[in-house]
């Protein structure tokens, strides 16, 4: 007699997915928001609880320590030029053309005109005649120079043109007296005896020249 077969129970197919779902079970409701929101709240909480670090403010420039100011050096006294202590500020060597010394000696020219103004202390002009003479021949006495419009003497050569401003010269030195050197001082004698170079325009005379070539070495013209 054949053995009785036990009826098979209906087996339900279980997949890997359903197995995992059963093991994990339903996700309990915890009230926790998604992780992105939580992170944002966490960041807000940390900002509220911890103080914000700020960079220390820089002190204004005026409050910075300044190095003490260095005292300004005292200006050095101007060095005297070589020969300054030996010059005679009352006497000047003046270069002049021979034709003009002739006019002065003849009293046809009673002012010597120049572009520059000499010191008020100047009393005498030692007239150095240029070539071909190349020597000091006359010493002219003078006074305060005049400017255009102050001469007012038509008798002298060049005076009217000077007063009208037609000359390049700005100062007129009046001829108040004239001496002729008995022995003219040549270029070589000026260099050898007095260490004086030929003036280019003008230069101060030295004390030695004024003292050694005195009135006894001259004769008055007028």
């Amino acid at each position: 007699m054949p053995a009785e077969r036990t009826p098979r129970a209906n087996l339900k197919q279980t997949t890997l997915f359903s197995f995992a779902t059963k093991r994990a079970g339903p996700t309990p409701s915890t009230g926790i928001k998604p992780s992105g929101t939580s992170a944002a709240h966490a960041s807000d909480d940390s900002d509220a609880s911890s103080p914000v670090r700020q960079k220390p403010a820089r002190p204004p420039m005026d409050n910075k320590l300044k190095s003490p100011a260095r005292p300004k050096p005292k200006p050095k006294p101007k060095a005297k030029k070589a020969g300054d202590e030996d010059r005679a500020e009352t006497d000047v060597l003046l270069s002049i053309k021979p034709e003009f010394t002739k006019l002065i000696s003849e009293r046809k020219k009673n002012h010597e005109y120049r572009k520059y103004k000499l010191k008020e202390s100047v009393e005498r002009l030692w007239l150095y005649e240029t070539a071909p003479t190349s020597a000091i021949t006359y010493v002219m006495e003078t006074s305060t120079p005049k400017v255009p419009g102050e001469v007012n003497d038509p008798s002298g050569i060049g005076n009217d043109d000077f007063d009208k401003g037609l000359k390049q010269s700005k100062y007129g030195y009046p001829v108040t007296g004239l001496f002729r050197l008995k022995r003219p001082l040549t270029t070589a004698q000026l260099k050898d005896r007095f260490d004086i170079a030929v003036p280019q325009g003008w230069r101060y005379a030295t004390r030695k020249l004024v003292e050694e070539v005195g009135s006894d070495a001259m004769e008055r013209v007028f």
Side-chain angles (χ1 to χ4, degrees):
M1 181 173 178
E4 294 182 358
R5 295 182 179 180
T6 305
R8 295 180 180 179
N10 293 330
L11 298 177
K12 189 175 181 181
Q13 188 176 1
T14 303
T15 63
L16 182 60
F17 176 79
S18 61
F19 179 76
T21 302
K22 286 180 180 181
R23 287 182 62 92
T27 303
S29 177
T30 59
I32 299 176
K33 293 184 179 180
S35 59
T37 307
S38 300
H41 278 283
S43 176
D44 291 343
D45 293 340
S46 63
D47 289 343
S49 60
S50 61
V52 178
R53 294 183 180 179
Q54 297 182 351
K55 294 182 179 179
R58 293 182 179 179
M61 295 297 293
D62 293 342
N63 292 339
K64 288 186 176 180
L65 293 177
K66 295 182 179 179
S67 57
R70 295 181 180 178
K72 293 183 180 180
K74 294 182 179 179
K76 295 181 179 179
K78 292 184 179 180
K80 290 186 177 181
K81 295 180 181 178
D84 277 2
E85 65 282 355
D86 189 42
R87 73 184 186 184
E89 295 193 355
T90 55
D91 293 71
V92 164
L93 274 64
L94 198 71
S95 292
I96 188 171
K97 293 180 179 180
E99 57 264 32
F100 293 132
T101 56
K102 185 175 185 298
L103 291 173
I104 291 174
S105 65
E106 293 173 352
R107 308 190 77 166
K108 295 178 181 179
K109 190 175 188 295
N110 54 24
H111 285 77
E112 176 58 27
Y113 295 106
R114 298 289 160 143
K115 296 180 181 179
Y116 43 81
K117 183 180 181 181
L118 301 172
K119 286 186 176 181
E120 298 289 342
S121 60
V122 175
E123 299 174 355
R124 288 172 293 275
L125 301 177
W126 296 60
L127 303 181
Y128 174 86
E129 292 188 28
T130 56
T133 307
S134 302
I136 295 177
T137 53
Y138 291 90
V139 177
M140 182 185 102
E141 293 179 326
T142 189
S143 58
T144 304
K146 298 177 182 180
V147 296
E150 292 183 350
V151 175
N152 297 319
D153 180 7
S155 65
I157 294 175
N159 291 352
D160 286 344
D161 288 344
F162 176 76
D163 277 340
K164 293 176 183 177
L166 301 179
K167 286 181 172 289
Q168 293 183 353
S169 301
K170 301 300 180 184
Y171 301 95
Y173 295 86
V175 182
T176 59
L178 188 68
F179 293 85
R180 179 187 294 109
L181 267 66
K182 296 176 181 179
R183 294 183 179 180
L185 289 172
T186 64
T187 302
Q189 289 174 328
L190 287 172
K191 182 64 178 176
D192 296 341
R193 288 180 58 187
F194 306 105
D195 194 24
I196 294 177
V198 174
Q200 299 297 323
W202 70 275
R203 61 156 292 168
Y204 285 104
T206 60
R207 295 179 184 275
K208 184 178 181 181
L209 173 65
V210 174
E211 291 171 0
E212 291 190 12
V213 185
S215 58
D216 57 340
M218 309 177 191
E219 57 185 8
R220 180 177 285 275
V221 179
F222 57 84

